[in-house]
Amino acid sequence: MKRKKVVAGNWKMNMNLEESKKLISELMQINVENVDVKIAPSFTNLFHSNIMLDSSSIEVISQDMHHEQKGAFTGEISAEMLLGIGIKTSIIGHSERRKYFGETDLILSKKVNSAIENKMKIVFCIGEELMDRNNNNHFDIIESQLRNGIFHIESSQFKNIIIAYEPVWAIGTGMTANSDQIQEMHQFIRDLVNSKFGNEISQNIKILYGGSVKPSNAKEIFSLKDIDGGLIGGASLNFSDFNSIVEAANE
Ligand code: PGA
């Protein structure tokens, strides 16, 4: 089964308006056939980023969304608001949201429901802490994050999901999981999807790796059997690194 690779840049809380305009004008040069390229700027940069990339194949996505449609939720952004400015995909469940903003599996499952109800696509993040791995708990953690976060949705909706496996200990630390660890976990995730939703869906689901992906390791990671691309943090903030990673996925 040949799945088209995905490379998504998660800008996190970086890039003011001017910086983001500069990076986007560089990103416009990207022209690849075999990779779906996405960028996730901050909320304040979504609108103009989407306009600037209107005629490009790069998709602009959000880093998060709230599960309610509207109301008294100061500081939050809903699916309806995102759709209103042409944003059709959201990252949900990034480990920084789980860790710093107390987002539990229950909250994340509500966000997933809202995205699905609003016909949005989802990049759903999962990942274990270093302690989980050291205690040999990592498979249990990943399984429970999947079961609690997305396994309740209808199988017909599963095509709207991309899974991003990001071991928390590898995010922004320069430490990358090694190839065996990555392939082993991605295969485990695909097998779980198979046992829940069947072979066809499990063969089609895209599973990205995230955690210190950079130009020097992207090619090796993307060549692994069950890896369908990457969610890129730090290295998505400069054109040259991000472009090299996209090129590595395009091979
Ligand atoms: P990193 O972040 O590439 O800087 O490790 C990845 C992520 O958090 O998505």
Side-chain angles (χ1 to χ4, degrees), residues 112 116 121-122 124 146-147 149-163 189-190 192-194 196-198 200-207:
V112 167
I116 298 280
K121 294 192 175 359
I122 299 163
F124 190 75
L146 283 172
R147 289 199 187 282
I150 50 173
F151 272 17
H152 62 285
I153 69 174
E154 302 264 332
S155 57
S156 61
Q157 301 293 351
F158 220 71
K159 58 181 182 308
N160 295 312
I161 307 266
I162 291 174
I163 295 172
I189 294 165
R190 203 176 297 287
L192 281 176
V193 174
N194 184 13
K196 172 77 185 170
F197 294 103
E200 196 186 331
I201 290 177
S202 77
Q203 287 306 311
N204 282 312
I205 182 93
K206 293 182 186 180
I207 310 174

Side-chain angles (χ1 to χ4, degrees), residues 10 12 94 96 166 170-172 211-213 231-234:
N10 175 10
K12 309 189 179 183
H94 191 279
E96 286 149 17
E166 302 199 295
I171 295 180
S212 301
V213 178
L231 182 56
I232 320 299

Side-chain angles (χ1 to χ4, degrees), residues 133 177-186 220 224:
R133 188 164 274 271
N178 67 39
S179 294
D180 290 345
Q181 291 170 321
I182 299 174
Q183 169 53 28
E184 178 185 51
M185 187 57 90
H186 280 233
E220 181 181 343
L224 301 168

Side-chain angles (χ1 to χ4, degrees), residues 39 48 52 69 77 80 90 102 122 138 149 173 177 199 208 210 218 234:
I39 55 163
H48 80 84
M52 282 181 79
Q69 198 78 346
I77 300 286
E80 191 187 43
S90 183
I122 299 163
H138 44 301
T173 58
N199 187 50
L208 314 185

Side-chain angles (χ1 to χ4, degrees), residues 13 31-32 37 48 67 107 113 121 143 188 193 205:
M13 198 173 73
N31 184 12
V32 284
V37 180
H48 80 84
H67 57 270
I107 292 172
N113 291 345
K121 294 192 175 359
E143 180 164 352
F188 175 74
V193 174
I205 182 93

